[in-house]
Amino acid sequence: MTERVRLAVVGAGPAGLAGALAAAARGVDVTLIDAAGQAGGQFYRQPAPALNARRPEALHHQWRTWQRLSDGLARHLAAGRITHLAEHHVWCVQRASDAFRVHALLGPAQEEGVTVRADAVLLATGGYERGLPFPGWSLPGVVTAGGAQAMLKGGLVLPGRRIVVAGTGPLLLPVATGLAAAGAEVAALVESADPAALLRRAPELAAQPGKLAEGAWYAGQLVRHRVRTLARHTVVEAHGTDRLTAVTVAALDRAGRIRPGSARRIPCDTLAVGHGMLPHTDLAETLGCTLNGTDVDVDAEQRTDVPGVWAAGETTGIGGAALALAEGHIAGRSAAARLHGTVPDPRAWAAADRARTRLRAFFATLDTVYAPPAGWAERIPDDTVVCRCEEVTAGEVRTAGPLGAGDLRTAKLLTRAGMGWCQGRMCAPAVAGLTGCPLTPGRRPFARPVPLGVLANVPDDETPAQ
């Protein structure tokens, strides 16, 4: 009997699920590894089972797609073709001569180590929000836009009663409408992008009428819930002592600079703020995969330049759930064919390829519109804490440039910014903006902190190279 081939999929969001289902359907034994307690990722995040949500679909867009993915996963789990390891936090993927070893930490305490062996790996690790500091951003009550959405979807709780949603990017629309529909008073949606920029790119955006219709639906929901939209505005400061009580916002001119005399104060108890997304590339960097800027570089089959490693979804470039599904499907089919020793036929995923091409072009256009406003780094006062792990201020970070910092690693060594628990995931964009260094990921041996006891129990022949 032929030995079955094994694929480890890291991440159970849209890309990981699509890849796992495509590979399992073609005779591959799949191990789906994810840090969350349930599959779905951020986009399809489900309420905790103990909450007994009666209408979880009310919190989701594209619910039918989620049902199809969920049903497919359940069938493959029952048939033994997929093994789902929930609450497993992957800290390293090691390439050996005969296989890959995926090292993970188990459970909320993360004190127990687990190793999964596979013949190939699909990285579907998603993305994380770009945080840009401003005075008061560390006050209780200031959360990321995605964090507010996660609280609502996963915990069925509101982060506050009177909320301002601010920043830039398409994510702000579902966050604002979701919070309003759940009963929060959304005092304002503060978007720094210029609506005229969207109109100028209308011919390119029109290639995705479904996405335009989705945007129009969200706009209608904002009107229905009487959410005031402040376009070409930005948050200047968050106010409060023990917690947030108000935010000051101001209008931007066409160059992205604050217009004098335009500041206004909005009382609120929560600020949900986000400035777009960045890919999670830690595991890809550890494996030595080539990056294209901040994205993992892949070919037409979603293969990286490391043999046996595929990547799909936000880790190859931020583009939303539909693009992640298309990339994951292609990666899963390609991995299955390669693992079985055959050359895949691209015609087998022609529909997914067309969707991938169109959606990549669409989101590349959106990237030119939804960018942080010009001069945002100049507006950060010197006494504003930028690296919250190490309590490094903007003034301290600014000293790194004159001292010769030409990259983020040198800036870290000179100022300690990025040396804390998050290893710069939160502060790296701000440090780059303040120092003028390029925002390039730094290669780390581990993707997350690991207890020494776990490292000590890894067999010598499996210990990741330092």
Side-chain angles (χ1 to χ4, degrees), residues 12-27:
L17 285 172
L21 296 181
R26 287 156 184 83

Side-chain angles (χ1 to χ4, degrees), residues 104-136:
L105 301 172
L106 172 61
Q110 299 180 39
E111 295 289 337
E112 180 182 344
V114 176
T115 298
V116 174
R117 291 167 176 78
D119 302 301
V121 175
L122 167 56
L123 301 176
T125 48
Y128 62 100
E129 287 185 89
R130 187 203 315 257
L132 300 180
F134 49 87

Side-chain angles (χ1 to χ4, degrees), residues 9 13 88 144 259 269 350 379 388 417 454:
V9 179
H88 281 65
T144 65
R259 287 170 44 197
D269 59 24
R379 295 196 292 269
R388 294 187 286 190
V454 171

Side-chain angles (χ1 to χ4, degrees), residues 19-33:
L21 296 181
R26 287 156 184 83
V28 176
D29 281 344
V30 177
T31 302
L32 180 63
I33 312 165

Side-chain angles (χ1 to χ4, degrees), residues 271-349:
L271 170 63
V273 59
H275 291 86
M277 304 278 292
L278 293 169
H280 265 305
T281 59
D282 293 345
L283 296 176
E285 294 164 43
T286 303
L287 282 163
C289 301
T290 297
L291 302 187
N292 181 11
T294 59
D295 309 336
V296 178
D297 195 28
V298 293
D299 65 9
E301 295 181 33
Q302 299 294 140
R303 293 181 297 175
T304 72
D305 58 349
V306 175
V309 179
W310 281 255
E314 310 283 42
T315 192
T316 68
I318 305 302
L323 177 56
L325 288 169
E327 290 187 355
H329 181 76
I330 293 170
R333 294 189 70 134
S334 168
R338 298 286 179 181
L339 286 170
H340 286 305
T342 63
V343 177
D345 183 357
R347 291 175 298 182
W349 60 68

Side-chain angles (χ1 to χ4, degrees), residues 135-322:
W137 77 310
S138 59
L139 278 169
V142 180
V143 299
T144 65
Q149 187 182 56
M151 291 174 67
L152 180 60
K153 285 183 174 182
L156 303 182
V157 295
L158 293 171
R161 299 305 305 176
R162 182 175 168 84
I163 304 172
V164 172
V165 178
T168 190
L171 177 62
L172 301 187
L173 288 173
V175 171
T177 55
L179 292 172
E185 178 188 355
V186 179
L189 171 59
V190 182
E191 168 61 70
S192 63
D194 185 353
L198 282 172
L199 293 177
R200 287 193 294 270
R201 309 305 295 269
E204 299 157 82
L205 298 176
Q208 283 292 301
K211 286 293 182 183
L212 294 183
E214 184 179 328
W217 183 85
Y218 282 126
Q221 292 299 301
L222 293 175
V223 173
R224 175 188 173 191
H225 293 290
R226 299 180 181 178
V227 176
R228 175 175 48 166
T229 301
L230 300 176
R232 220 163 71 199
H233 278 66
T234 191
V235 171
V236 176
E237 185 174 0
H239 307 280
T241 304
D242 297 325
R243 66 164 293 111
L244 182 72
T245 57
V247 297
T248 293
V249 303
L252 300 169
D253 62 21
R254 294 197 178 277
R257 311 285 177 173
I258 288 180
R259 287 170 44 197
S262 65
R264 68 176 80 179
R265 192 175 176 121
I266 304 175
C268 61
D269 59 24
T270 303
L271 170 63
V273 59
H275 291 86
M277 304 278 292
L278 293 169
H280 265 305
T281 59
D282 293 345
L283 296 176
E285 294 164 43
T286 303
L287 282 163
C289 301
T290 297
L291 302 187
N292 181 11
T294 59
D295 309 336
V296 178
D297 195 28
V298 293
D299 65 9
E301 295 181 33
Q302 299 294 140
R303 293 181 297 175
T304 72
D305 58 349
V306 175
V309 179
W310 281 255
E314 310 283 42
T315 192
T316 68
I318 305 302

